[in-house]
Amino acid sequence: MATLYPTRKDHDGFFDFLPSWFDEWGHNFSRNNSLQSFAADVQERPDAYDVKMDLPGFSKENIHIDFSQGVLTVDASREQRSNEKAEDGSFIRKERATGSYTRRFMFDGVNEDAIRAEFSNGVLGIILPKKEK
């Protein structure tokens, strides 16, 4: 089964994972409408790991995926809309979040050359095939 904890086998770079861990902790304990992180499902199959992430309102160009040293990193950002004005009147409430968001997951035994991703209807799907044993 995949290890989904924000730790590393060695201690080099351990602190890189702390912001992600705190984001997750905050997301689990304060379920409000702000976007602190994006929801993800991770499924292990016999031949691959299947990751699905909800990214509504993000454009494909603003989503970046990296797999390095067994760590899958997904960064997504939305541009600041600070100069956005209501066409007729003023905003009473403005809740749509902007900024950058990151999720990291650790996986063992992934065939890095065969990873593939697809983004459709606000859902990012990533297939991480396992190395043959």
Side-chain angles (χ1 to χ4, degrees), residues 89-101:
S90 60
F91 285 104
I92 294 171
R93 188 172 184 117
K94 199 162 162 81
E95 296 181 340
R96 294 182 299 152
T98 60
S100 298
Y101 309 93

Side-chain angles (χ1 to χ4, degrees), residues 17-33:
F17 290 93
L18 287 178
S20 177
W21 184 83
F22 283 116
D23 285 347
E24 286 302 308
W25 183 81
H27 182 70
N28 290 332
F29 288 98
S30 64
R31 299 255 184 212
N32 59 26
N33 290 332

Side-chain angles (χ1 to χ4, degrees), residues 22-50:
F22 283 116
D23 285 347
E24 286 302 308
W25 183 81
H27 182 70
N28 290 332
F29 288 98
S30 64
R31 299 255 184 212
N32 59 26
N33 290 332
S34 68
L35 183 61
Q36 297 174 14
S37 178
F38 37 90
D41 294 332
V42 180
Q43 179 182 12
E44 182 177 17
R45 299 190 321 244
D47 61 337
Y49 299 102
D50 187 1

Side-chain angles (χ1 to χ4, degrees), residues 31-102:
R31 299 255 184 212
N32 59 26
N33 290 332
S34 68
L35 183 61
Q36 297 174 14
S37 178
F38 37 90
D41 294 332
V42 180
Q43 179 182 12
E44 182 177 17
R45 299 190 321 244
D47 61 337
Y49 299 102
D50 187 1
V51 179
K52 298 244 187 291
M53 297 184 179
D54 288 341
L55 294 166
F58 288 87
S59 67
K60 184 177 181 178
E61 295 75 31
N62 292 332
I63 299 171
H64 305 282
I65 302 167
D66 181 60
F67 189 84
S68 178
Q69 298 180 348
V71 179
L72 172 68
T73 303
V74 178
D75 294 309
S77 62
R78 286 191 211 158
E79 294 180 16
Q80 294 291 335
R81 294 185 290 257
S82 59
N83 61 352
E84 183 180 50
K85 297 180 182 177
E87 290 181 27
D88 187 19
S90 60
F91 285 104
I92 294 171
R93 188 172 184 117
K94 199 162 162 81
E95 296 181 340
R96 294 182 299 152
T98 60
S100 298
Y101 309 93
T102 300

Side-chain angles (χ1 to χ4, degrees), residues 1-4 40-53 65-74 103-118 124-132:
M1 179 170 219
T3 304
L4 299 178
D41 294 332
V42 180
Q43 179 182 12
E44 182 177 17
R45 299 190 321 244
D47 61 337
Y49 299 102
D50 187 1
V51 179
K52 298 244 187 291
M53 297 184 179
I65 302 167
D66 181 60
F67 189 84
S68 178
Q69 298 180 348
V71 179
L72 172 68
T73 303
V74 178
R103 292 292 306 266
R104 291 184 179 94
F105 300 94
M106 291 185 70
F107 295 96
D108 290 323
V110 171
N111 179 356
E112 294 183 38
D113 296 328
I115 295 172
R116 58 191 188 278
E118 179 180 299
L124 175 64
I126 305 170
I127 303 294
L128 300 103
K130 294 180 180 179
K131 292 178 182 174
E132 293 186 25

